[in-house]
Amino acid sequence: MKLINGKNVAKSVLEKVKERTLKYEKKPGLAVILANNDEASKIYVNSKEKISNSLGFKSSIYRFDKTVTQGKIISLIHELNENPEVNAILVQLPLYKHLDQQQIIELIDPKKDVDGFHPINVGRLNCGLKPYAVCCTPKGIIKLLKAYKIKISGQSVLVIGRSNIVGKPLSALLTLEDATVTLAHSKTKNLKSLTKNADIIISATGHPKLITADMITKGTVVIDVGITRQLTGELVGDVDFEKIKDIAGYITPVPGGVGPMTIASLMENTLELFEQQNKRQE
Ligand code: GUN
């Protein structure tokens, strides 16, 4: 078994981002909107703020309690779209249930859409055109596979979970890398026959121990995107790590696998949007 160390790869991505940022007099601006009560989101957002500050970015976090209205978020998005100091806008998902998530995503200027969630960016990605930004977790996973020189082209890759945040954009990116992609989900029949035949399995469901040892063929690459907090406080992925680690060719731990790569990609995307916007002004 070879352990994939996401923390190390993320660190080297962040070092390069920091170095590139130093070249500029102006600094990239990242605005984050947090409008939910989810503990995991709060942890993510705090960590995004800490890391963006450590890179010298100007970050602003807008935190809302559950009395926030759709109108209030819409006017904030308009304001951020117009603000030249803000290069990147992130709306942490999920939002409070009473808010219309899709309407909010579609109001973000696609040129400032650091998550690549706007239909313009999703559409460009699926057409094989360059989006302004590529979704952070899928981008981080591809970087992780490449950092470990894991072959993607021609390989059978099984993606489990069809979310707009991970499964769907990841399938598009892997297709662009010439993988043969199967996208499985909660209605998929006989998941085990698919996992047994995959060269690479990427699970993003949030169901602890969905992937068990009997489902894995020796040498398979196993990437775990799931992250669930147990009642004990322990963070676990979708994969039964202890039982699978000696069967898999490569495996990511939770935490310390994909998670740090998501944040590293977010910082890289913020810098890229800043560079694109400065270039347009020249
Ligand atoms: N919630 C879980 N993952 C993400 C992400 O990558 N971006 C945003 N905006 N919200 C999320």
Side-chain angles (χ1 to χ4, degrees), residues 45-268:
V45 167
N46 288 340
S47 147
K48 284 166 185 174
E49 183 176 30
K50 205 173 108 205
I51 295 176
S52 78
N53 288 337
S54 78
L55 297 172
F57 292 2
K58 283 174 299 175
S59 60
S60 33
I61 316 286
Y62 298 84
R63 293 181 172 86
F64 294 98
D65 64 28
K66 60 179 184 307
T67 62
V68 69
T69 59
Q70 181 79 1
K72 175 101 185 160
I73 306 266
I74 289 175
S75 58
L76 175 58
I77 300 266
H78 286 313
E79 218 176 277
L80 298 171
N81 281 344
E82 294 305 317
N83 185 346
E85 302 283 297
V86 173
N87 307 104
I89 303 170
L90 181 141
V91 177
Q92 183 68 29
L93 301 179
L95 291 169
Y96 291 119
K97 290 222 161 28
H98 66 279
L99 299 171
D100 180 344
Q101 197 160 289
Q102 194 56 29
Q103 186 192 29
I104 290 168
I105 289 172
E106 291 188 30
L107 286 172
I108 299 172
D109 180 343
K111 297 184 182 68
K112 295 191 176 185
D113 169 31
V114 72
D115 267 318
F117 289 165
H118 190 286
I120 294 252
N121 287 320
V122 175
R124 291 187 69 89
L125 179 68
N126 280 280
C127 292
L129 302 170
K130 204 174 171 333
Y132 294 104
V134 173
C135 306
C136 303
T137 302
K139 180 175 175 172
I141 292 170
I142 301 281
K143 234 184 232 288
L144 208 48
L145 293 171
K146 289 188 174 173
Y148 280 82
K149 302 198 164 37
I150 294 166
K151 188 170 178 234
I152 304 175
S153 174
Q155 299 298 93
S156 293
V157 184
L158 175 66
V159 177
I160 311 171
R162 56 180 154 177
S163 71
N164 290 338
I165 299 179
V166 183
K168 281 189 237 163
L170 179 58
S171 301
L173 277 181
L174 288 163
T175 305
L176 289 171
E177 296 285 341
D178 300 321
T180 303
V181 182
T182 303
L183 180 55
H185 46 77
S186 52
K187 299 280 193 296
T188 296
K189 286 189 286 182
N190 203 357
L191 185 61
K192 185 171 165 181
S193 71
L194 298 174
T195 56
K196 278 275 187 194
N197 286 304
D199 298 307
I200 303 174
I201 299 169
I202 307 176
S203 185
T205 70
H207 289 284
K209 301 217 169 135
L210 176 75
I211 310 297
T212 48
D214 57 309
M215 297 168 80
I216 305 291
T217 304
K218 187 124 189 99
T220 306
V221 176
V222 180
I223 307 291
D224 193 349
V225 192
I227 186 154
T228 307
R229 191 176 289 280
Q230 304 284 63
L231 289 173
T232 56
E234 189 195 2
L235 288 175
V236 295
D238 292 355
V239 172
D240 190 352
F241 181 86
E242 281 307 317
K243 301 230 170 74
I244 288 179
K245 69 180 196 310
D246 295 321
I247 309 171
Y250 286 89
I251 189 165
T252 58
V254 173
V258 173
M261 292 304 295
T262 299
I263 299 199
S265 298
L266 169 65
M267 300 305 149
E268 192 177 57

